[in-house]
């Protein structure tokens, strides 16, 4: 356990000889200078999917050695075999109920989604994320009672499979799990105190870090009074003074609020991993390329400087996983229309802006050998009356992604006819440029002239790679087996 430097000094004055104190400082310093790892989240809710092998090659090109998955996707896991990339595999919240009540279900999942992929030449699975933000306030406690029993059952299953020494269980939490007006007063929400005490004790016993998702963008998006410069790392006129400590960015303030909350439970030195952090590039005010580049580059530089935070000087997060690798056009937009635009790469693996991940590889490298559909687009037919187009646009946008047309989006100012064309083309590309998909009762027409305007990009789809020659063999099938299993247990 790393001791806080101030605490070390006090202990040295009262309990240690000068020689013992020197040894302690030297040992602690060597740990403090350990550099954080930079990883990415790889989500797959896309309407235009790159092949998993192309994505893994993208990791290698950019020297990305840590990847977080949101489920045990068999295509992704098979593509990661032999890559040497460290992987965190996720378990969806919907599966926690089954795992909390059935050790057999846990054994099956570990066998099918961990053991079969691990071993020599396999996948380097380091963590299993048990749920994803299961204590989010918007869930109203829906998953709360399942987390600890699921953890205990899964730990037993890891031991049975002889992988408990290699794979650690974690519980990614949203930053709304704790609260405070000042970082030093941080505490977990009162209704979570007991369960968090159990979870943190479990993590500590098993050598696991605390995983938290921190999103300064959401603070800015959800609060008109939130100072914009405080969300970034370039200095602010709205610094937060907390006793002797001063906070110049929201990330440090949020991080130290968690540190204080952990300290209240007696685990103030627990390693912390940032499971998700990033900035979207489209779909809302403040979601743009300039802001995303400034935030992500500022974050990376800040973390890799090893400066740490006021409550953990010289101790940056153990790892950070940028959210996210690619845009995901099929994600829910209930939290906001920016949800589909978090990627540092667009859906086709092309870097959106220059970014240095600090991994010794310079700026981002684009995906290689991406196969595009022909250079043609579907637009509004200029010779037709478009007054009755509303229902066609609704159909198009319900099957494709039109969020860039929203206020603050990159295509928000292209006019009514431009909006129609954008919607038609988005649908046309999702349908792999099927000729009938640009009909819209004669209101659409195919063009070979790129209709993109300024920053508003009319996309061309990529060829379908979902029919990979890698067999799914079990992962997704087991999800439904477990869901049905849970239903059977419930009705009994």
């Amino acid at each position: 356990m790393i001791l806080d430097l101030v605490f070390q000094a006090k202990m040295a004055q009262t309990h240690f000889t000068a020689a013992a104190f020197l040894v302690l400082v030297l040992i602690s310093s060597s740990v403090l200078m350990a550099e954080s790892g930079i990883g990415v989240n790889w989500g797959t809710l896309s309407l235009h999917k790159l092949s998993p092998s192309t994505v893994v090659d993208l990791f290698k090109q950019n020297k990305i050695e840590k990847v977080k998955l949101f489920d045990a996707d068999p295509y992704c896991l098979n593509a990661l075999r032999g890559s040497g990339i460290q992987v965190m595999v996720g378990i969806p919240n919907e599966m926690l109920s089954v795992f909390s009540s059935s050790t057999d279900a846990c054994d099956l999942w570990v066998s099918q989604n961990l053991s079969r992929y691990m071993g020599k030449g396999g996948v380097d699975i380091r963590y299993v994320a048990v749920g994803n933000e299961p204590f989010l306030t918007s869930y109203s406690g829906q998953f709360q009672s399942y987390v600890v029993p699921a953890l205990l059952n899964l730990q037993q299953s890891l031991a049975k499979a002889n992988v408990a020494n290699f794979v650690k269980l974690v519980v990614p939490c949203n930053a709304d799990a704790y609260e405070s007006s000042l970082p030093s007063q941080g505490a977990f929400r009162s209704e979570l105190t007991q369960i968090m005490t159990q979870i943190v004790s479990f993590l500590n016993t098993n050598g696991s870090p605390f995983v938290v998702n921190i999103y300064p963008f959401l603070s800015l998006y959800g609060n008109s009074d939130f100072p914009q410069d405080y969300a970034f790392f370039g200095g602010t006129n709205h610094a937060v003074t907390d006793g002797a400590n001063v906070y110049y960015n929201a990330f440090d303030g949020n991080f130290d609020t968690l540190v204080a909350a952990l300290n209240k439970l007696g685990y103030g030195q627990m390693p912390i991993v940032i499971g998700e952090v990033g900035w979207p590039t489209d779909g809302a005010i403040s979601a743009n390329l300039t802001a995303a580049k400034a935030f992500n580059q500022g974050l990376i530089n800040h973390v890799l400087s090893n400066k740490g935070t006021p409550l953990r000087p010289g101790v940056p997060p153990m790892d950070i996983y940028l959210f996210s690798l690619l845009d995901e056009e099929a994600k829910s937009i209930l939290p906001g229309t920016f949800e589909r635009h978090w990627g540092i790469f667009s859906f086709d693996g092309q870097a959106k802006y220059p970014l240095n991940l600090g991994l010794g590889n310079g700026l981002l490298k684009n995906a290689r050998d991406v196969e595009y559909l022909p250079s043609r687009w579907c637009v509004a037919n200029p010779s037709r009356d478009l007054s009755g187009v509303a229902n066609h646009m609704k159909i198009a946008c319900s099957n494709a992604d039109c969020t860039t047309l929203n206020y603050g989006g990159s295509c928000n100012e292209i006019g009514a006819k431009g909006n129609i064309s954008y919607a038609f083309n988005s649908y046309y590309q999702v349908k792999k440029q099927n000729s009938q998909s640009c009909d819209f009762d004669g209101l659409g027409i195919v063009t070979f002239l790129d209709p993109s305007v300024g920053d508003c990009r009319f996309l061309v789809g990529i060829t379908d790679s979902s029919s990979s020659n890698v067999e799914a063999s079990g992962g997704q099938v087991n999800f439904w087996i477990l869901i049905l299993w849970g239903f059977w247990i419930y009705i009994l």
Side-chain angles (χ1 to χ4, degrees), residues 67 178 181 214 258 340 361 418 479:
V67 173
Y178 47 89
S181 57
I214 296 178
L258 171 59
R340 296 174 176 175
N361 200 39
F479 173 83

Side-chain angles (χ1 to χ4, degrees), residues 4-209:
D4 181 90
L5 291 178
V6 174
F7 179 67
Q8 291 177 29
K10 291 180 179 178
M11 292 293 288
Q13 293 171 3
T14 55
H15 297 290
F16 294 108
T17 66
F21 176 60
L22 178 59
V23 170
L24 180 59
V25 169
L26 289 174
I27 293 173
S28 298
S29 296
S30 66
V31 178
L32 291 174
M33 294 307 293
E35 191 168 273
S36 300
I38 306 295
V40 295
N41 285 268
W42 180 8
T44 57
L45 298 177
S46 177
L47 300 173
H48 306 275
K49 290 188 178 181
L50 285 174
S51 71
S53 60
T54 299
V55 174
V56 172
D57 181 64
L58 184 62
F59 294 147
K60 292 179 179 179
Q61 284 191 80
N62 290 283
K63 297 187 177 180
I64 296 170
E65 298 180 345
K66 296 175 184 287
V67 173
K68 179 167 166 279
L69 305 175
F70 290 93
D71 57 19
D73 186 303
Y75 294 115
C76 297
L77 289 171
N78 274 303
L80 286 162
R81 287 184 186 274
S83 67
I85 295 170
Q86 298 176 15
V87 180
M88 181 185 298
V89 176
I91 293 175
N93 291 328
E94 291 74 18
M95 298 176 73
L96 297 181
S97 173
V98 177
F99 289 158
S100 70
S101 58
S102 171
T103 55
D104 288 340
C106 293
D107 290 346
L108 174 63
W109 188 90
V110 168
S111 172
Q112 294 296 311
N113 299 292
L114 296 185
S115 300
R116 71 185 303 168
Y117 294 107
M118 297 177 68
K120 186 176 181 180
V123 185
D124 186 6
I125 299 174
R126 299 293 182 94
Y127 298 105
V128 171
V130 182
N132 185 46
E133 301 183 340
F135 307 115
L136 200 64
T137 52
S138 60
Y139 291 149
S140 302
Q142 179 181 353
F143 307 108
Q144 189 167 315
S145 63
Y146 304 135
V147 178
V148 171
L151 275 174
L152 297 175
N153 287 342
L154 283 164
Q155 186 65 32
Q156 290 184 29
S157 296
L158 293 180
K160 290 179 188 176
N162 295 316
V163 295
N165 290 333
F166 309 102
V167 181
K168 302 299 180 183
L169 301 180
V170 295
V171 183
C173 292
N174 187 278
D176 78 345
Y178 47 89
E179 54 196 1
S180 176
S181 57
L182 290 172
S184 64
Q185 299 172 10
F188 289 105
R189 299 197 322 255
S190 57
E191 71 273 21
L192 296 179
T193 301
Q194 182 177 359
I195 192 169
M196 278 300 178
T197 301
Q198 294 174 304
I199 289 173
V200 172
S201 176
F202 173 90
L203 297 175
N204 183 68
T205 298
N206 291 285
S208 299

